[in-house]
Amino acid sequence: MSTLCEQILGAPAGEYVDRPVDLAFAHDGTGVLTRETLREMGVDTIPHPERVRLIFDHIVPANTSITADLQKELREYACSSGIALSDVGGGICHQVMSEGVVRPGQIVVGADSHTCTLGAFGAFATGVGATDMAAIWASGSTWFRVPETVRVTLAGRLDGAAEPKDVALAYVGKLGMDGASYRALEFLGDGAAGISMAGRLTLCNMAVETGAKTGMFYADDVTLQYLAGYGVAAERQEPEECCAAASVAIDLDAVAPLVAVPHRVDTVRPVAEVAGTPLDQVFVGTCTNGRFEDLQRFARIVRGRQVAVRTIVVPASRSVLRQAAATGVLADIVEAGCMIAAPGCGPCLGAHSGVLGEGEVCLSTANRNFKNRMGVGGEIYLSSVATAAASALTGTITEPEGA
Amino acid sequence: MHGAGHAVCLGSDIDTDIIIAGRYLRTKNRSVWAEHIFEDLDPALAPRLAGAVILAGKNMGCGSSREQAVIALKEAGVAGIVAPSFARIFFRNAINVGLPVIEAEVPCREGASVRFDLDAGWVEVDGDRFPVRPLSPRMIEILRAGGLVDHWRSQR
Ligand code: SF4
């Protein structure tokens, strides 16, 4: 009997395997080094361009002429080598790949650490560096050590105040920043069925913050229904009785709104404990919480009111933006006094559009609060969308209603 | 696969953002990364990295997959990194650029003399020897070739 990783990679945990890769993507940041490495390797043609994607999301649109030149070169490279390019405004790589591209059972690699997000589809999805990516584009395959698995068993249902993000913060707090190093997280249990695809993507997104190679859900009715919306047919996956290296149990009913306080993602506290902390900026977006469901939740809370602090909202993709525009969600957010930025990573990586100044404090729905990540001397608290919305309205960290 | 150098001690959970900040990533000029290495942690660290073996705490290199972090360390002259555990993307990246990464539990004394031999499976700090968790044969092969690019070229 095997874990989901073992089923997909076709070997027991601990073994090294060579496997063809179904999808391999890089973004404007890691794509540059991948391209350079291919040049050094002397590789001119990519044997399977249909499996490869380039997705511009990290600094979009370009912020300096240096960035613009690098993107121009990469754009030309995509065109000449037959690689599909998602250009500026298309969205964050993990979100774009989640919109009907990745399927259950696939092996997916991305030159970005949060590629684990896509394990939400029951795929083996993991991050690699640019050199590995170059070798994968050149050969179509790569090696993996089949990881041991940590089973995270979810029971019950989330109530009104807590969101999947709070569950993610809860397990990162429990496991710690290296609690699942080299391992895979599997989310299963009765509670899994009640979590939407968006919620699953949020949960798997933060797996790497525990050191895990990936985070995974078994494909079930929720997955199949979501994929059917994109015209993709897929099959269910069933968990087998087995052999996890460790297990963690989370009672969804008992999860309360949480925040990760600076500068570690595993120093997690109930929102109540840091309530009242003054904020300079609120940021809603990223591959963790920039989906339509997130924007909708945010809009529902701020509708008809005014934010008390500068608030930047960044849809995770063009399709999220389109949905937000079509449903009035976007108008509610703009009316509440928030700034909307182009779909992409936004200020998450501290390179543009919302960098923090010395001593400034930001409440963000992202996944990392490392020192200086959003700007030198800035402090980052991580929370759910509901906590971010409640806090935007008061200008200090505030518990969401119903907590 | 062996090497030596003076010890530079680092703590646990050193993330790749702190090794090289996101604001310096947008270039192809590798010397920029070595120039700004650990800038936000301790600007006095960079000059001590030439010929050093870094002795870090657990979960070395966590966070972003940016390969610029291992390139910066290599360009700065680091001869190897010893830690009780590494973040896996960082670990793979280091091997791919030919930077020896050594999983071992060792005490850290700043400036101590460190030697390692990955074939024999040991690391020494001021003459005290500690066992090393072995690398897979393929990782050793890539390291020995000087990184994945040279390994690829040698296979064609
Ligand atoms: S949104 Fe942030 S964490 Fe996600 S891919 Fe972009 S930079 Fe990375």
Side-chain angles (χ1 to χ4, degrees), chain A residues 335-361:
Chain A
E335 287 304 320
C338 306
M339 176 196 155
I340 305 284
C345 300
C348 179
L349 68 158
H352 72 147
S353 74
V355 176
L356 300 179
E358 175 82 40
E360 285 195 317
V361 181

Side-chain angles (χ1 to χ4, degrees), chain B residues 8-12 14 38 41 45 54-57 60 73 108 110:
Chain B
V8 168
C9 301
L10 289 179
S12 295
I14 297 291
F38 291 124
L41 181 69
L45 207 51
I54 290 178
L55 304 184
M60 174 64 188
L73 289 161
C108 194
E110 199 67 46

Side-chain angles (χ1 to χ4, degrees), chain A residues 37-58:
Chain A
T37 308
L38 283 162
R39 219 194 296 269
E40 282 173 43
M41 288 162 66
V43 173
D44 303 321
T45 48
I46 293 178
H48 297 287
E50 74 285 358
R51 298 185 200 162
V52 175
R53 298 273 195 293
L54 257 171
I55 300 166
F56 285 6
D57 58 2
H58 270 54

Side-chain angles (χ1 to χ4, degrees), chain A residues 18 40 130-132 143 264, chain B residues 13 28 67 92 138 153:
Chain A
D18 275 286
E40 282 173 43
T131 300
D132 263 330
W143 63 272
R264 290 179 63 101
Chain B
D13 303 309
K28 290 195 279 187
E67 198 158 310
R92 232 177 129 132
R138 171 153 17 190
R153 285 220 203 95

Side-chain angles (χ1 to χ4, degrees), chain A residues 57-58 92-94 112 114 286-287 345 348-349 367 373:
Chain A
D57 58 2
H58 270 54
I92 305 170
C93 54
H94 313 301
D112 187 276
H114 290 103
T286 79
C287 56
C345 300
C348 179
L349 68 158
N367 44 38
R373 179 166 167 96

Side-chain angles (χ1 to χ4, degrees), chain A residues 18 36 40-41 58 66 73 126 129-132 142-143 177-178 182 213 264 368 372-373 376, chain B residues 13 15 17 23 26 28 40 58-59 63-65 67 86 88 92-93 96 103 138 152-153:
Chain A
D18 275 286
E36 280 304 291
E40 282 173 43
M41 288 162 66
H58 270 54
I66 296 170
E73 200 184 325
T126 194
T131 300
D132 263 330
T142 192
W143 63 272
M177 274 170 70
D178 64 344
Y182 311 137
K213 196 173 267 190
R264 290 179 63 101
R368 284 191 180 136
N372 301 330
R373 179 166 167 96
V376 180
Chain B
D13 303 309
D15 62 76
D17 271 77
R23 61 187 180 276
R26 294 302 173 272
K28 290 195 279 187
D40 296 343
K58 69 182 174 63
N59 202 25
S64 153
S65 70
E67 198 158 310
F86 290 85
R88 51 164 293 280
R92 232 177 129 132
N93 285 348
N96 286 342
E103 261 189 293
R138 171 153 17 190
W152 171 277
R153 285 220 203 95

Side-chain angles (χ1 to χ4, degrees), chain A residues 179-198:
Chain A
S181 285
Y182 311 137
R183 293 173 165 180
L185 301 183
E186 265 185 15
F187 298 94
L188 67 190
D190 306 339
I195 298 184
S196 70
M197 219 45 237

